[in-house]
Amino acid sequence: MVRESLLHSWEGYKQHAWLQDEVIPLSGTYNNGFGGWGATLVDTLDTLWIMGLKKEFVVVVAALKKINFSSTPLDTVNVFETTIRYLGGFLSAYDISGAKYPALLEKAVEPGEMLYVAFDTPNQIGLLSLEFTRLSQLSGDHKYYDAVQRISDVFEDQQNKMKIPGI
């Protein structure tokens, strides 16, 4: 039943919103609220693999070449959503497929580079540690890990300065 439900949703996405962020089921139109870079496409990669839909997975990997992270119709991009949907989506698909598709890692670097500038801000970003650490491990570029480690160092330094240490 789970597989049938996934296939139903996947077919609807392919028919009505291919390469768009998400399908709007009742109208059969689409919405690009996550940058217009195919959020559902990327977010579904690991699920396709887990469900044994390897042919669909390969089709999606090939379609990723059409995603262009250098532009978006949005005025602002949500750092958290971009991290979990795109960076996390590419990295999890790369790992779960046994690193057999280098295009996934190459594609992960694109939002990684875009998101990297978020660390050059007075605001501390602490939710990106997992994805940026894994991107460093896989790409061999330690700048991503260094960025999140600087934030972890600030968190550690602040722990005993709180009213309730550790919170």
Side-chain angles (χ1 to χ4, degrees):
M1 289 178 67
V2 172
R3 185 181 169 97
E4 287 176 25
S5 180
L6 169 70
L7 287 171
H8 174 77
S9 299
W10 181 243
E11 290 301 321
Y13 172 77
K14 287 191 322 186
Q15 181 179 355
H16 299 288
W18 185 251
L19 290 172
Q20 308 303 320
D21 285 344
E22 56 189 351
V23 67
I24 302 172
L26 295 178
S27 67
T29 58
Y30 60 84
N31 178 45
N32 280 324
F34 299 107
W37 302 309
T40 295
L41 196 68
V42 177
D43 222 4
T44 306
L45 277 163
D46 55 357
T47 303
L48 292 173
W49 187 271
I50 291 167
M51 291 291 192
L53 300 169
K54 306 297 192 286
K55 289 180 183 176
E56 292 287 332
F57 182 91
V58 171
V59 168
V60 173
V61 171
L64 297 177
K65 295 174 186 169
K66 297 179 181 177
I67 297 175
N68 180 1
F69 284 101
S70 67
S71 66
T72 178
L74 303 179
D75 293 330
T76 59
V77 174
N78 183 306
V79 172
F80 175 73
E81 293 289 345
T82 302
T83 300
I84 65 168
R85 292 184 185 277
Y86 297 108
L87 183 55
F90 290 131
L91 293 174
S92 66
Y94 181 78
D95 280 340
I96 204 164
S97 65
K100 293 176 184 165
Y101 300 89
L104 294 169
L105 178 56
E106 292 165 13
K107 225 37 189 174
V109 171
E110 292 177 29
E113 286 294 321
M114 180 179 64
L115 292 162
Y116 184 76
V117 300
F119 290 94
D120 190 18
T121 175
N123 301 317
Q124 299 296 335
I125 301 179
L127 299 174
L128 312 180
S129 296
L130 176 68
E131 292 86 356
F132 271 70
T133 299
R134 189 67 180 141
L135 184 57
S136 280
Q137 290 173 330
L138 295 174
S139 70
D141 190 338
H142 297 286
K143 74 178 183 181
Y144 305 110
Y145 176 77
D146 292 341
V148 294
Q149 186 57 48
R150 286 193 309 268
I151 292 167
S152 294
D153 291 345
V154 170
F155 286 162
E156 181 182 7
D157 182 56
Q158 296 297 314
Q159 289 301 305
N160 291 323
K161 297 177 182 175
M162 302 293 179
K163 275 187 173 180
I164 302 173
I167 294 183

